[in-house]
Amino acid sequence: MASNAFAGLLNSSADRHSLFDDAQGIVAGSMLAVLGVTLLSGAGLLAGGTAGLAFLAHYATGISFGLCFFAVNLPFYYLAFRRMGPAFTIKTFVAIGLTSILSEFAPAFIGVTHVHPVAGALFGGLVIAAGMLALFRHRASLGGIGILALYIQDRLGWRAGLFQLGFDCLILALSFLVASPFIIACSVLGAVVLNLTLAVNHRKDRYIAM
């Protein structure tokens, strides 16, 4: 019986991930996200969504990014549960928690002494996108405004994409309080790289495993 239960944790199929598949995907995705965040932070850059809020709070208060990132995502778990179900919410909570914890310890193990803002935008945006793709493919995410945008679209009929764009514009406007125009321009470049990578590579009709 025990061996059968253990085999069930490892066995996956063409259209369904095993528990082990999900676990390694969430760990790998979180690690890649932390590496990307480390590059952005080393270059003094910001991001959109809840990561952008966390960066703003981090730069303005000196509180660690990991703690800020975990805190700003707390209100979205209820919406994730309502919109996406308990499995997605639990895996997203684990991914955010792991990303937050690893972000706390990453500076002690990854010594980034200098990152040019343009390089930080290109490499940081790409690595975070790779991490998010890994999470998406295991029906998890790093939380964020996207969940709220979908919820508001359902309740109020507002377009989710326009709502998210408006929120990111607000983050960009607030960024002028803590960053120079050049840093903000590089942050926009990083966001373009991240979202373009997601747009090209994340298609449900090409990847159907649950």
Side-chain angles (χ1 to χ4, degrees), residues 140-188:
S141 77
L142 290 176
I145 298 303
I147 298 171
L148 176 60
L150 291 172
Y151 183 80
I152 288 180
Q153 179 174 274
D154 288 345
R155 295 295 298 271
L156 302 178
W158 298 0
R159 290 181 180 271
L162 292 179
F163 178 86
Q164 189 159 348
L165 176 62
F167 186 89
D168 285 345
C169 288
L170 176 61
I171 295 295
L172 182 62
L174 293 174
S175 299
F176 282 95
L177 299 175
V178 297
S180 68
F182 175 67
I183 290 297
I184 293 173
C186 290
S187 299
V188 172

Side-chain angles (χ1 to χ4, degrees), residues 12 71 74 112-113 142 156 174 185:
S12 59
L74 287 176
V112 179
T113 57
L142 290 176
L156 302 178
L174 293 174

Side-chain angles (χ1 to χ4, degrees), residues 43 45 115-123 182 186 189:
L45 302 181
V115 180
H116 190 279
V118 174
L122 295 174
F123 286 93
F182 175 67
C186 290
L189 173 62

Side-chain angles (χ1 to χ4, degrees), residues 79-93:
L79 297 178
F81 180 82
R82 290 287 301 273
R83 187 66 173 72
M84 307 298 289
F88 174 87
T89 305
I90 291 171
K91 287 189 281 190
T92 294
F93 180 84

Side-chain angles (χ1 to χ4, degrees), residues 34-57:
V34 169
L35 179 58
V37 165
T38 300
L39 293 172
L40 292 184
S41 181
L45 302 181
L46 298 107
T50 49
L53 279 179
F55 269 122
L56 284 174

